[in-house]
Amino acid sequence: MISTLLLSLFTGVFFFTQHEEVAETTHNNRASDTMDYQQKLAEKLSILNERGNGVLIRMNYIKKTCTDPKTRPSFLADKSMEPAIKYINKKFPSIDFRGNIVSVTTMFEQALFFFSAFIICFVMIDHVYELLNTIDACQCFFDISINFDFTKNYLDLIITYTSVIIMLSRIDDKKALVGMFNCAHEMTNGSSDPSYPRLGQMFVEYEHTWKKLTEEFGPHTRSVTSALLSLRMVYPRRNLPAEQWRSAQLLSLLSAPAAMLDPACCNTMACEYLSMEVMERWIIIGFLLCHSSVNTNQASQELWKMALRSGLYLTLTRDEVLNIHKVTEDLFDSIKGYNKRIADIKECREHVIVNCGAMHRERRQFLRGALKELFNVLEDEPGLLGPKALFVFMALSFSRDEVLWLVRHSENMPKIKTPEDYIDNQMAELLFYMEKLRGLMRKCSYVVQRYHVQYLAQFDALVLNDTIQNMYVCPEEESVLMSSFVSTLSALSIKQVENKEEFDLRALRLDWMRLQAYTSVNKAPLPIKDYIDLPKVMNLIQFHTRMVDSLDELLFETSELSILSFYPRVFEKMFSQSSEEMTMKRYLMAFPSVCSQFSQCGHPLCPEEVSVHLRLCVTFLEQIAKQTSTVVLEICAEQCNLNDQLQPKHCAEAISAARHRKQKKQVPKKGEVLKEKPGAESLRKDRSVVTNVDKMHLMLTELCSCYSLCTDFIVFDHIVVPTEFLISHLETRLSEIIVRMANYNQTTQEIARPTDLLAGLRAYTASVHSLSSYINVDVTRLVKNVLLQQTQPLDSRGVQTITTLYTNWFLESLLRQASNALILHCPTMHCFVNQATENDPNFRAEEFSDVSELQALAELIGPYGLKFLSENLMWHITSQVSELKKLVIENMDILVQMKNNFDKPEEMANLKKRLTGGENVLKRMTIIGVILSFRAMAQDCLKQVLLKHCPYLMGPLECLRDFIAPEDDIKVTLSVFELASAAGLACNIDPALVTAISSMQTDNTSVDEEYKLSCLLLVFIAVSLPTLALDPNSFYSREHGGHNNNVHCLAVAINQVAAAMFTVQAKNIEQHLKEFLLMASNALLQLGQNTERMDLKNRESVYLLLHMIVEESPFLSQDMLESCFPYVLLRNAYREVYKSFVITLG
């Protein structure tokens, strides 16, 4: 059932459907009566290699799945299943289904996934075994320098076949998985799966993996050995120390300037960029399978020993490696007559441990310089990419080999005396120039394509045609193929490149591989080994065709590093080591850029393996951004410190020194350090002296240079922009620094002055803007985002901003003490000042509330921040209004009578004695007045700031506000006032206070009741004003322009609260304020008729309140005041309070 379905993957139909479409050429009428043509060796090799890689990856995935506790199948981890698993492993493959393992049927679906994978593996193994026997029967000729594709695919197939079986042997739970599935199948369907007996037999046969493999490959020794010995001319030439590379000036275009324009070509083009690791894998595993050749053939032995001296491990797939010396020694130890070879293995292993690390370190050192020179020359002259494209692929292949060698040996590093040979803190540079060369080839692909199209059509086609004409034997089938080669190449035109037509020469390359197979079999009509000129020309043509239509594929073949995704620990360690080196910081972007290759490592046969994860890429970019932002902000901090030294607050010492300049210079005391003047840090006796700022600027230059690698790249379909990580980090760190610069301490209620914070912030932003001279980032957007977030209560991370900090401080510290009269509102100086007390204040109020400080606050938190501050102030005001309403309700009857009898002094005096809470009312109204006075000061400073920043906006806003008339719709009025208030403009009615008071109304109270409470509140305030004369702190201070207990703030409170309440209730504000003024005048006039001296103490200071209320109100006038309160009393009051003020002239 299942096996029948899966076998179709490898049927003849499957073999020919995929590749026949690509290879539709003119040889479709080829005769089919020749056995060699019917074998289709080329097609089978190509397909089986591709499928074999998929099966290998799938076996590795199953191994990882079964060994990882997180992904291990549940039935294998279930303790109740342990007896069944032990039974299956013991009796496998002959399992007695009558045993008590009925519960296995529940595992059918889970086991099916693994069983189907093993069936695919089994089918692939059978097909490979059959193909190898066919090739051996045909006595094929193999030579990597002649029939490159045929030989390479043959050796690849052997290695893939061996790797699959080794990976299969490393899956410890394979018997349990297959046995459980078969048991479940037996219970479900009444019979075993048809494929189970053969699959079980295969597991048993390959329990001794290497022994079985060597037995299988015994008949293939001749073919494998001939293929491997063809590497004698390639592998030793590639496996040279760095000294010989350097003396030969390998990869240098400048070594022979006269030949710079000559095309780089040779007889073995593909061998020049063939991976060293691939060749070593061929040699080591190939001679393991055919070990008799090593023991009897001197040439085989030399090649084998050379490969054994190149390293300790070979990659099977992903992060699975083969310990070559241990495996070889274990195998040879079980075979008689191999004592000398065992000694050779030990000698080779010792050579690797002593010399190999240093040799590869020197190679990497050479390649760093060679790639840098090659890239610089090609970037300056991209036209050289046409003739010298081979140099690029050689450089990439050599570098990739060295990177992967270090990766697999770092992960499995042996115990050696020089571990530093396996640590490369300059890996970033090598990866960087690999990425640069890849990017340059892609960028200039048009140049490469144009050059090689002309080369193929105007040179290669002619040479190939001459070669064919000189062949004295050319059978019909081969003649048709070679004629199609010439016609295809001759049809190429430069116009196709100019018209951006897509080229597809894959059919030509597959036909060439077919031709290699036809001419490599024994007794071929056209033996390829007798016509060496043909493969030389065709191998060159094949390389040129790949330059035309598969440049990306060749780049992937020579430089892909996707295997690094399976070595995350080593990859991160390399990044960490490189990031510690100053000179490597400019190359760090290569690490996240390499991550863009990770998506290419998947295979269709194992789609489950590739999971979209950006962890490594994001980690690298975060680290680079973190380092860069740290350096940027350290420079900013240094500039901020230098700027702070120039602040006016630090000039006192300089002024003092200037005043005593004529005095004799005092000798400094012993141990005393003279303070340097600002700017002394710029004076140097020697320019070679490097300061900390110099080091930071150098580091910033290096880090910013790494962002030049690419503006963006794609990782798993995600577009990654490196600079956005930097901006994000700077945004976060800058927000933290701004909050930290505020120095807010909730316990001690300390905070930095707004002017100091603004100066520091300006120094920071000025320094941050210098970043744009290093790297192309939008610093203006960054700064705007950070500062705009600081105008909100919380930033994007949910952390409190300076808006919240200053709001809390002004409410909890300054205004709370002002409410208790410990701090006075000073209209004269437009600030708050400390009351003179015995205890020293925690802070000087004028240093936080004068015009310059509040303007700085407005600059810092802006209109949004001041809106948030106003909302918090309004919350405190509404809480006071709620308490005032409670006091009014308690005295409602009395207040109603007082309102009706305010012109009857005797009755008012009696009612006043029954009134309770008058002082409390005035106290709460004073608190409201203090808050509103502070808000008015902040609003005025906001207006000044906005006039400086956007004067053309403020003019229209003022005109719009002034255009509003009293008879206009109240909703329109409030909308305009809200707009004007947001810009800091003063309005007749405070829209924020109106909103706050309107939100206090509940469903329990009617509009009439609220109106009555508002009217009675004004009555309560008016009749309570005379009690202020009893308070000794009610004295009016000419110096401050207000009373010592802040009762002058009542003027603001009465006007603003009354206007807001009657606006909410849609009543006439002016009429009710007139009534309040009349009642307050009558109440205060009664003070003059009281003969007690205590009552008369601050009578004149209290009289001034009426004048302040009228001055503050946009609804009252002096005429209204004079109609109810004699002006002579106000004049005498002013004369009285100013009489005691002493004026001193300096």
Side-chain angles (χ1 to χ4, degrees), residues 1-7 93 97 108 112 115-116 118-119 122-123 126 178 181-186 188-202:
M1 182 179 66
I2 296 170
S3 58
T4 304
L5 173 65
L6 295 171
L7 278 169
F97 300 112
F108 182 82
L112 175 60
F115 185 80
S116 61
F118 290 134
I119 289 293
F122 155 65
V123 175
D126 276 355
V178 172
F181 171 80
N182 196 52
C183 292
H185 193 282
E186 175 78 14
T188 306
N189 302 308
S191 62
S192 298
D193 187 278
S195 303
Y196 174 74
R198 180 69 184 89
L199 188 59
Q201 184 63 30
M202 184 185 72

Side-chain angles (χ1 to χ4, degrees), residues 56 220 263 357 453 505 531 676 860 887 1086:
L56 179 59
H220 309 308
V453 163
L505 300 172
Y531 298 91
E676 291 184 346
L860 289 168
L887 292 172
Q1086 298 300 319

Side-chain angles (χ1 to χ4, degrees), residues 730-1014:
L730 283 172
E731 184 177 311
T732 302
R733 294 284 301 279
L734 200 55
S735 297
E736 293 173 353
I737 287 171
I738 292 173
V739 172
R740 200 181 308 129
M741 286 169 64
N743 291 327
Y744 179 61
N745 188 323
Q746 192 171 5
T747 306
T748 60
Q749 287 297 314
E750 296 177 355
I751 200 167
R753 294 172 61 182
T755 50
D756 292 344
L757 178 57
L758 182 61
L761 184 57
R762 283 174 172 166
Y764 260 88
T765 53
S767 298
V768 169
H769 273 286
S770 67
L771 179 63
S772 58
S773 62
Y774 292 90
I775 183 175
N776 185 22
V777 293
D778 192 351
V779 180
T780 302
R781 174 171 68 97
L782 163 68
V783 174
K784 283 183 177 179
N785 285 346
V786 172
L787 297 183
L788 188 60
Q789 286 183 40
Q790 292 301 313
T791 65
Q792 305 299 315
L794 300 175
D795 63 13
S796 58
R797 298 171 295 118
V799 179
Q800 288 186 343
T801 61
I802 56 173
T803 294
T804 303
L805 299 184
Y806 276 106
T807 297
N808 293 341
W809 187 86
F810 276 109
L811 287 171
E812 299 297 327
S813 295
L814 191 142
L815 294 179
R816 185 180 294 276
Q817 294 189 43
S819 300
N820 297 323
L822 298 176
I823 291 177
L824 305 181
H825 174 245
C826 182
T828 304
M829 295 186 290
H830 297 281
C831 67
F832 285 84
V833 296
N834 292 89
Q835 184 81 275
T837 58
E838 296 179 358
N839 300 325
D840 292 333
N842 295 332
F843 61 91
R844 296 183 62 186
E846 59 271 24
E847 292 183 356
F848 291 86
S849 60
D850 65 4
V851 173
S852 60
E853 296 297 334
L854 291 182
Q855 283 185 354
L857 181 67
E859 288 267 13
L860 289 168
I861 66 176
Y864 284 115
L866 284 176
K867 184 175 184 293
F868 176 75
L869 175 62
S870 296
E871 290 172 354
N872 281 268
L873 294 175
M874 292 304 148
W875 183 87
H876 284 269
I877 290 174
T878 54
S879 63
Q880 297 297 332
V881 172
S882 298
E883 296 299 321
L884 288 170
K885 287 182 177 180
K886 292 178 183 178
L887 292 172
V888 171
I889 293 172
E890 291 176 3
N891 297 274
M892 183 174 292
D893 295 338
I894 301 173
L895 291 172
V896 170
Q897 295 181 45
M898 295 182 82
K899 180 181 179 182
N900 297 329
N901 300 296
F902 71 92
D903 54 346
K904 301 175 181 178
E906 296 82 2
E907 201 165 331
M908 286 290 289
N910 294 329
L911 290 171
K912 188 175 180 180
K913 292 178 181 179
R914 295 166 52 193
L915 195 65
T916 60
E919 293 180 359
N920 198 357
V921 168
L922 295 176
K923 175 68 174 176
R924 294 189 181 280
M925 284 299 294
T926 302
I927 292 173
I928 294 174
V930 169
I931 294 174
L932 289 174
S933 298
F934 171 76
R935 181 171 181 270
M937 291 165 54
Q939 289 288 99
D940 185 62
C941 291
L942 173 64
K943 181 183 75 172
Q944 298 303 322
V945 168
L946 292 180
L947 279 170
K948 181 175 67 174
H949 286 293
C950 45
Y952 299 107
L953 177 64
M954 295 299 289
L957 287 178
E958 289 182 358
C959 291
L960 186 61
R961 178 201 60 180
D962 296 339
F963 186 74
I964 293 296
E967 60 273 9
D968 290 338
D969 183 15
I970 191 62
K971 291 184 178 179
V972 176
T973 301
L974 289 177
S975 298
V976 174
F977 282 175
E978 186 175 1
L979 176 63
S981 180
L985 300 177
C987 303
N988 294 342
I989 303 171
D990 191 338
L993 190 56
V994 171
T995 303
I997 290 178
S998 64
S999 65
M1000 294 175 60
Q1001 293 186 359
T1002 61
D1003 297 335
N1004 298 330
T1005 56
S1006 63
V1007 176
D1008 294 337
E1009 290 177 353
E1010 289 291 334
Y1011 172 61
K1012 183 179 180 181
L1013 289 175
S1014 301

Side-chain angles (χ1 to χ4, degrees), residues 239-243 245 280 308-313 325 348-366 368 401-410 412-425 427:
N239 193 14
L240 296 174
E243 293 79 7
W245 282 359
E280 288 165 1
L308 283 177
R309 291 193 184 102
S310 62
L312 295 170
Y313 300 96
H325 298 92
C348 291
R349 186 177 188 279
E350 189 62 29
H351 180 275
V352 170
I353 292 175
V354 174
N355 301 310
C356 219
M359 183 184 73
H360 284 276
R361 184 193 65 217
E362 291 301 319
R363 282 185 183 176
R364 293 191 301 273
Q365 186 64 31
F366 167 79
R368 275 188 276 270
D401 284 336
E402 294 306 316
V403 171
L404 297 187
W405 186 94
L406 182 63
V407 167
R408 65 177 180 270
H409 284 81
S410 296
N412 308 279
M413 190 170 64
K415 294 181 180 179
I416 54 176
K417 295 181 179 179
T418 55
E420 62 274 8
D421 290 339
Y422 293 85
I423 298 172
D424 193 347
N425 53 13
M427 181 57 72

Side-chain angles (χ1 to χ4, degrees), residues 648-712:
K649 61 183 180 181
H650 296 299
C651 67
E653 295 182 11
I655 295 174
S656 177
R659 291 182 63 186
H660 299 87
R661 191 173 298 167
K662 295 182 180 180
Q663 296 181 357
K664 185 178 179 181
K665 185 177 180 182
Q666 297 180 356
V667 180
K669 297 179 181 179
K670 187 176 180 180
E672 183 181 357
V673 179
L674 294 176
K675 186 176 181 181
E676 291 184 346
K677 293 182 179 179
E681 71 283 343
S682 299
L683 301 175
R684 308 188 206 192
K685 295 181 180 179
D686 187 357
R687 188 62 189 87
S688 61
V689 176
V690 179
T691 64
N692 188 43
V693 177
D694 292 335
K695 294 177 182 177
M696 288 190 290
H697 276 287
L698 176 61
M699 187 181 296
L700 181 61
T701 303
E702 295 291 323
L703 285 167
C704 289
S705 296
C706 80
Y707 287 91
S708 65
L709 177 61
C710 52
T711 55
D712 58 74

Side-chain angles (χ1 to χ4, degrees), residues 279-324:
M279 288 190 283
E280 288 165 1
R281 199 181 297 126
W282 289 345
I283 295 169
I284 298 295
I285 296 179
F287 282 131
L288 264 175
L289 299 173
C290 305
H291 52 79
S292 60
S293 177
V294 175
N295 209 29
T296 58
N297 190 322
Q298 183 64 27
S300 300
Q301 189 181 128
E302 290 176 359
L303 188 63
W304 172 70
K305 288 170 68 175
M306 186 181 296
L308 283 177
R309 291 193 184 102
S310 62
L312 295 170
Y313 300 96
L314 282 177
T315 300
L316 291 176
T317 182
R318 306 310 193 211
D319 57 343
E320 290 291 327
V321 295
L322 186 70
N323 190 332
I324 55 179

